[in-house]
């Protein structure tokens, strides 16, 4: 419910918050000022007058009261009145100045306070005075001492305080709101430029970048991060476009070959060799299935899909591969190994080893060497062949999707260029690496995976 009370604009929200905070501060300050300052100002005057009255009362008690009273600074009027209303003593200013009308002071030795507006002779304009009275006993009988001090300065100070509080505070709030609006607007101006530029960027053109202000603040980091994100999006979009184009090309070849074979056989049914046609069609279908399977696994890896993991012994996987490939075109020589536990997906790890051995089988001349060993907390799996090898400048390019070197295309037209990229993605998904090592003759691919530390007694 509270969010509905605030505007949606960040600029308006911050301005509202700043104005509300200023209003709360000014209100609290105003209330504190009104509660303390008037009383303090009057208290100073009261203390001054009361001190003067008590000094005169002390002289009156001892009978040493002069006829002319000399008031202290900032106390204008002093007078002593007897019980029958006669003026016993007074300050010089009472002769030609304002007349101080006595007020009742019933109790002895108790100070009474009142406020009076006194006028001078011949004038109608009165002056606001604070008057204090004290009744004491004198040698000639009871007498009342009156003292007065003008409240002109106090009244003037209070008028200025009220003016500042009730007129100045709203003006200050308006000033705070205006400054907040301008400052926040200036601070958010780069954000508006970033927003406008982002609105112009489309999926067809990801080459544009947002402006980066040189203020060095959070907006600068936001703009820089946005540009880094756009860089990644552009690379990802370019990779996706290239991937789609390559996938379309790779899928079109077996489909075209399959369709051509079936169309020829269908056009000349009596002359067609149907068993051979079916065999070729089955081979094309198997290639399509292999490409689609690899594309699906790559898509799952790109999406971050994580299948159920368990402990997989890479030595056992290697032994199973060698048994399944017994009698193939090129023999596989497996070095004796004990155990090499890895925490991961058995399906994906088996696919990794299958792709490496398939790649070696296509290029090997006489033999393939397979080695699985555990060294320093790592499982190192090496697949080496004695074929033509991979040139140094192509050892990273072979891990790009649908990349097939020229000698690979000449030897085997059935490859898809997805085996090694998929194998590296699987290795990376298992916190490992896959790279091409120096080897003569032929090629050597090395996969390094972390060893799974099994608990004691497992």
């Amino acid at each position: 419910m509270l969010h509905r009370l605030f505007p949606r604009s960040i600029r308006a929200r911050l301005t509202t918050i700043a104005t509300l905070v200023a209003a709360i501060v000014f209100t609290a300050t105003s209330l504190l000022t009104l509660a303390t300052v008037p009383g303090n100002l009057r208290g100073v005057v009261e203390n001054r007058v009361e001190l003067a009255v008590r000094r005169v009362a002390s002289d009156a008690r001892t009978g040493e009261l002069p006829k002319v009273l000399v008031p202290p600074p900032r106390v204008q009027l002093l007078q002593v009145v007897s019980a029958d209303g006669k003026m016993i003593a007074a300050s010089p200013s009472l002769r030609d100045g304002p007349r101080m009308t006595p007020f009742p002071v019933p109790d002895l030795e108790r100070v009474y306070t009142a406020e009076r507006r006194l006028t001078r002779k011949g004038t109608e304009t009165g002056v606001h005075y604070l008057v204090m009275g004290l009744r004491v006993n004198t040698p000639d009988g009871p007498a009342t001492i009156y003292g007065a001090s003008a409240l002109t300065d106090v009244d003037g100070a209070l008028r200025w305080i009220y003016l500042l509080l009730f007129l100045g505070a709203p003006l200050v709030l308006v000033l705070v709101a205006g400054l907040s609006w301008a400052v926040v607007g200036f601070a958010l101006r780069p954000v508006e430029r970033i927003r406008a530029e982002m609105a112009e960027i489309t999926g067809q053109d990801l080459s544009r970048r947002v402006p980066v202000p040189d203020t060095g603040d959070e907006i600068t980091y936001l703009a820089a991060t946005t540009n880094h994100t756009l860089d990644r999006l552009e690379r990802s979009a370019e990779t996706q476009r290239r991937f789609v184009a390559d996938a379309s090309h790779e899928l079109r070849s077996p489909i075209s070959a399959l369709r051509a074979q079936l169309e020829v056989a269908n056009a000349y049914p009596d002359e067609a060799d149907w068993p051979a046609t079916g065999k070729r069609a089955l081979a094309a279908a198997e290639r399509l299935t292999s490409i689609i399977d690899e594309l699906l696994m790559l898509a799952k890896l790109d999406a971050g899909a994580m299948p159920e993991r368990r402990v997989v012994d890479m030595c056992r996987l290697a032994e199973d591969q060698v048994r399944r490939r017994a009698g193939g075109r090129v023999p596989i020589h497996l070095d004796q190994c004990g155990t090499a536990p890895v925490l991961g997906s058995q399906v994906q790890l088996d696919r990794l080893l299958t792709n490496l051995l398939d790649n070696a089988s296509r290029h090997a001349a006489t033999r393939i060497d397979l080695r699985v060993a555990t060294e320093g907390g790592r499982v190192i799996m090496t697949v080496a062949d004695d074929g033509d090898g991979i040139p140094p400048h192509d050892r990273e390019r072979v891990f790009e999707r649908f990349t097939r070197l020229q000698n690979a295309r000449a030897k085997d037209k059935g490859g898809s260029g997805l085996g090694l990229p998929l194998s590296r993605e699987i290795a990376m998904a298992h916190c490992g690496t896959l790279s091409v090592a120096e080897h003569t003759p032929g090629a050597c691919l090395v996969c390094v995976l972390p060893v799974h530390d099994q608990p004691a007694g497992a």
Side-chain angles (χ1 to χ4, degrees):
M1 186 64 181
L2 185 61
H3 70 278
R4 298 181 181 178
L5 301 177
F6 284 89
R8 294 182 179 272
S9 168
I10 294 179
R11 186 180 189 183
R13 286 181 183 178
L14 293 179
T15 301
T16 302
I17 292 173
T19 306
L20 288 177
V21 171
I24 293 173
V25 172
F26 278 119
T27 301
T29 304
S30 300
L31 292 176
L32 182 63
T33 301
L34 293 175
T36 59
V37 172
N40 291 337
L41 293 177
R42 280 186 168 84
V44 172
V45 178
E46 288 178 357
N47 292 335
R48 188 184 303 132
V49 176
E50 183 178 355
L51 181 61
V53 168
R54 289 189 181 278
R55 284 179 179 175
V56 175
S58 177
D59 293 339
R61 290 189 192 97
T62 60
E64 299 178 357
L65 187 67
K67 295 294 183 179
V68 179
L69 302 177
V70 180
R74 303 185 71 83
V75 176
Q76 289 80 23
L77 307 175
L78 284 174
Q79 72 178 10
V80 181
V81 180
S82 63
D84 56 1
K86 294 181 180 180
M87 183 180 297
I88 300 174
S91 59
S93 58
L94 282 175
R95 296 177 180 178
D96 300 324
R99 298 301 179 187
M100 186 162 53
T101 304
F103 58 89
V105 180
D107 298 332
L108 287 171
E109 301 296 336
R110 180 177 177 183
V111 178
Y112 288 84
T113 303
E115 293 184 17
R116 294 287 186 270
R117 186 168 291 278
L118 307 179
T119 59
R120 292 178 178 274
K121 290 182 179 180
T123 63
E124 297 181 355
T125 304
V127 179
H128 190 200
Y129 279 88
L130 176 72
V131 184
M132 302 186 75
L134 175 63
R135 186 181 177 189
V136 297
N137 287 321
T138 69
D140 298 328
T144 304
I145 298 93
Y146 293 97
S149 178
L151 292 175
T152 305
D153 294 340
V154 174
D155 293 340
L158 291 179
R159 279 194 298 270
W160 277 107
I161 290 174
Y162 296 146
L163 184 66
L164 290 175
L165 292 180
F166 294 106
L167 293 181
L171 293 177
V172 172
L173 291 180
V174 172
L175 180 62
V176 169
L179 288 176
S180 300
W181 181 268
V183 171
V184 175
F186 180 78
L188 293 179
R189 193 177 302 167
V191 177
E192 176 60 25
R193 290 197 292 266
I194 293 173
R195 186 206 62 79
E197 187 66 27
M198 289 292 293
E200 298 293 330
I201 297 175
T202 63
Q204 285 72 31
D205 182 16
L206 293 174
S207 60
R208 301 177 64 171
R209 296 294 180 267
V210 300
V212 179
D214 57 355
T215 54
D217 54 10
E218 289 81 357
I219 298 179
T220 300
Y221 301 144
L222 172 64
T225 303
T226 302
N227 284 337
H228 291 328
T229 302
L230 290 173
D231 290 339
R232 293 193 298 270
L233 285 175
E234 184 179 17
R235 290 194 298 268
S236 177
E238 180 62 28
T239 301
Q240 184 178 9
R241 283 194 291 266
R242 187 169 63 249
F243 178 79
V244 171
D246 293 339
S248 301
H249 175 74
E250 293 296 332
L251 290 173
R252 186 184 298 113
S253 298
I255 292 175
S256 300
L258 177 60
R259 181 174 181 177
Q261 294 169 11
L262 295 177
E263 285 179 349
V264 171
N266 188 54
Y268 305 100
D270 296 334
E271 301 178 5
D273 186 354
W274 286 104
T277 301
K279 185 176 181 181
R280 289 192 297 270
L282 181 61
E286 288 177 352
R287 185 186 177 197
L288 280 173
T289 301
S290 176
I291 293 175
I292 292 172
D293 289 342
E294 290 177 338
L295 288 174
L296 287 175
M297 187 170 290
L298 278 171
K300 291 179 180 179
L301 291 172
D302 289 341
M306 187 62 62
E308 181 180 358
R309 295 196 170 195
R310 62 186 183 87
V311 179
V312 180
D313 190 343
M314 297 304 296
C315 288
R316 304 291 82 77
L317 283 184
E319 293 171 354
D320 292 340
Q321 287 280 348
V322 172
R323 280 194 297 268
R324 291 200 303 265
R325 294 172 181 270
R329 184 183 70 86
V330 181
I332 301 176
H333 298 273
L334 174 62
D335 287 357
Q336 186 176 1
C337 65
T339 59
V342 172
L343 182 63
S345 168
Q346 182 171 356
V347 175
Q348 292 183 0
L349 293 173
D350 187 66
R351 186 57 183 247
L352 183 153
L353 187 54
T354 298
N355 289 346
L356 295 182
L357 291 175
D358 286 346
N359 180 77
S361 298
R362 285 194 294 268
H363 299 87
T366 59
R367 64 178 289 159
I368 298 173
D369 293 314
L370 174 59
R371 179 177 179 270
V372 181
T374 303
E375 298 177 4
R378 301 179 301 167
V379 173
I380 301 177
M381 183 169 57
T382 304
V383 179
D385 63 71
D386 58 351
D388 296 331
I390 302 174
H393 59 274
D394 289 327
R395 289 178 181 173
E396 279 299 316
R397 199 165 68 89
V398 294
F399 294 107
E400 297 177 3
R401 298 176 185 183
F402 295 107
T403 296
R404 300 185 66 202
L405 303 182
Q406 188 63 35
N407 59 351
R409 292 181 181 274
K411 283 190 172 184
D412 182 12
K413 299 183 181 300
S416 63
L418 291 173
L420 293 182
L422 176 58
S423 299
R424 172 171 276 188
E425 293 289 342
I426 293 173
M428 293 174 61
H430 288 76
C431 302
T433 60
L434 178 62
S435 59
V436 179
E438 188 67 35
H439 185 262
T440 303
C444 178
L445 285 99
V446 180
C447 178
V448 180
L449 300 171
V451 170
H452 177 66
D453 294 329
Q454 296 183 351

